[in-house]
Amino acid sequence: RQGDHSTSDDSSQYRPLEEVAKVEEEADPIKRINLFLMNQGWMSEEEIEGIVSDERQAVLKALAMAEKRPPTKLDTMFEDVYQEMPLSLKRQEDELRKHLKKYPDKYS
């Protein structure tokens, strides 16, 4: 694993930074497949760089399109997860609604 489990996890508290750097350098799956493809003669470094560039542009274009869409309705965040909403999720929804009502100027 190259990084934290989540945004609330700080793996540097229990993993040396050297270990993370070593894993990133030696076990990165993207680097490994690119090296494999080049070693097999199936792709050149330039072809791989072209794909990376093309896909980066495609992602940026998709992001720009998504940002133009109207915001998703809050209700959809809690729908289609469970057949019957558990009490814990209902509480989360209630807390969120109270928070949004309390701070309407922070959310549009």
Side-chain angles (χ1 to χ4, degrees):
R1 181 170 54 84
Q2 293 179 18
D4 302 329
H5 285 287
S6 68
T7 56
S8 63
D9 178 34
D10 179 8
S11 64
S12 68
Q13 298 299 309
Y14 54 87
R15 290 178 72 196
L17 295 177
E18 298 80 21
E19 177 187 336
V20 175
K22 182 178 179 184
V23 168
E24 184 177 342
E25 183 60 34
E26 297 177 3
D28 182 298
I30 302 296
K31 289 180 182 178
R32 290 179 63 208
I33 192 68
N34 289 348
L35 187 60
F36 174 77
L37 293 169
M38 289 187 292
N39 287 340
Q40 295 297 317
W42 295 338
M43 295 191 84
S44 68
E45 188 170 353
E46 293 77 23
E47 289 172 307
I48 291 171
E49 287 172 0
I51 291 170
V52 169
S53 177
D54 291 348
E55 293 306 315
R56 180 175 286 118
Q57 292 304 313
V59 168
L60 292 173
K61 181 179 177 182
L63 179 61
M65 289 174 55
E67 288 176 334
K68 290 177 184 176
R69 295 180 66 186
T72 304
K73 293 181 181 177
L74 178 64
D75 294 338
T76 63
M77 186 169 143
F78 297 94
E79 294 175 349
D80 299 324
V81 178
Y82 297 98
Q83 185 172 351
E84 291 184 34
M85 187 185 299
L87 183 58
S88 59
L89 188 57
K90 181 64 179 151
R91 284 187 195 127
Q92 289 177 29
E93 180 182 16
D94 293 343
E95 287 175 21
L96 177 58
R97 289 186 186 284
K98 286 176 189 174
H99 177 83
L100 295 174
K101 190 173 183 176
K102 184 176 181 178
Y103 302 102
D105 56 316
K106 301 292 182 185
Y107 306 93
S108 54

